[in-house]
Amino acid sequence: MTKRVKGPVLTSSSQGCLPSLLEIIDSWETTTVSSGSTSESRVMLSSLQALTNLSTTNTHHNHYTQVIHRLYELLDIANDATCLQVVKVLVNLSCNKDMVPHLLAAKAPECVENLLLPLQTEELVLRWVTFLANVTNTVFNLNLTADMLPTQDKAASPETMYTALYGLDNPTKIKSKVFVLSKHDNEDVRRQATRLYAYF
């Protein structure tokens, strides 16, 4: 697995804020986020930064299952800075093999393939391809199938992240984009793209 996105050392007080931070994400109206309010965007970004720091170890990961669908939703509507922070959280969660079934069971964002396009910012592409490489690595190693996904908070089968990655001709479409990234100027992007390509 790729190493997690690290943050500052956590205190017991910051860890105690986790339920409140998760509630902020879970209760946020998507229309509010997409409206682009500066103050509200700052609150969202600050919350996600704290959640990134708190997700650097597996200790609290079980609490994050309730907001995975929200994190995916944000990828479709939020600005670049917020999307990047969302993906940092997802990368940390994807390093935990026990979280991968939950990541696959949630409703996938519409931008699964678009985030693999070179027109995205380099850091966003790197984080997203790392996330997908971590997830597919676990699927490969554990032989995960759709019927092994947790039923709690599971989206309808055609809408899950599992289907977005493995349904019908999706693997072929993803591989074509990942192949392009395997020739990227950035060495880290190339490395993660090569990892991802190998698991399809």
Side-chain angles (χ1 to χ4, degrees):
M1 291 290 186
T2 298
K3 63 183 179 180
R4 305 173 194 274
V5 180
K6 295 183 179 180
V9 176
L10 302 175
T11 63
S12 58
S13 60
S14 63
Q15 293 172 19
C17 295
L18 181 61
S20 298
L21 293 168
L22 293 171
E23 180 61 27
I24 289 173
I25 303 300
D26 195 31
S27 63
W28 211 277
E29 294 292 335
T30 54
T31 52
T32 301
V33 178
S34 59
S35 67
S37 169
T38 301
S39 60
E40 290 163 345
S41 294
R42 286 175 180 167
V43 171
M44 175 63 77
L45 187 58
S46 296
S47 299
L48 288 166
Q49 288 168 339
L51 287 172
T52 300
N53 297 336
L54 288 164
S55 64
T56 55
T57 69
N58 297 359
T59 306
H60 304 291
H61 281 183
N62 60 307
H63 298 293
Y64 284 70
T65 58
Q66 71 189 66
V67 298
I68 291 172
H69 67 293
R70 285 294 196 185
L71 295 174
Y72 285 162
E73 285 179 7
L74 284 170
L75 291 177
D76 285 326
I77 63 173
N79 59 38
D80 287 348
T82 300
C83 283
L84 178 59
Q85 206 62 50
V86 168
V87 178
K88 287 181 179 181
V89 175
L90 293 172
V91 167
N92 285 349
L93 298 179
S94 70
C95 290
N96 179 354
K97 64 181 178 58
D98 294 329
M99 286 298 297
V100 170
H102 297 280
L103 293 167
L104 291 167
K107 183 178 180 179
E110 295 179 5
C111 60
V112 170
E113 295 178 30
N114 287 342
L115 290 179
L116 293 170
L117 296 176
L119 59 83
Q120 304 290 347
T121 64
E122 192 170 279
E123 189 172 5
L124 182 57
V125 170
L126 173 59
R127 302 297 186 188
W128 185 242
V129 75
T130 300
F131 166 70
L132 293 181
N134 287 348
V135 168
T136 54
N137 173 67
T138 297
V139 171
F140 179 82
N141 288 337
L142 300 183
N143 294 313
L144 291 178
T145 59
D147 58 1
M148 297 169 67
L149 303 182
T151 56
Q152 183 179 6
D153 300 322
K154 184 177 181 290
S157 293
E159 300 180 332
T160 63
M161 177 61 93
Y162 188 95
T163 299
L165 296 178
Y166 298 104
L168 298 176
D169 60 344
N170 290 344
T172 301
K173 291 188 290 186
I174 292 174
K175 283 184 72 173
S176 67
K177 293 177 173 60
V178 173
F179 179 78
V180 173
L181 292 179
S182 70
K183 311 298 182 183
H184 200 280
D185 291 340
N186 184 296
E187 181 181 355
D188 292 328
V189 173
R190 292 199 306 271
R191 182 184 305 113
Q192 295 303 329
T194 300
R195 283 184 66 219
L196 176 55
Y197 192 90
Y199 293 122
F200 275 105

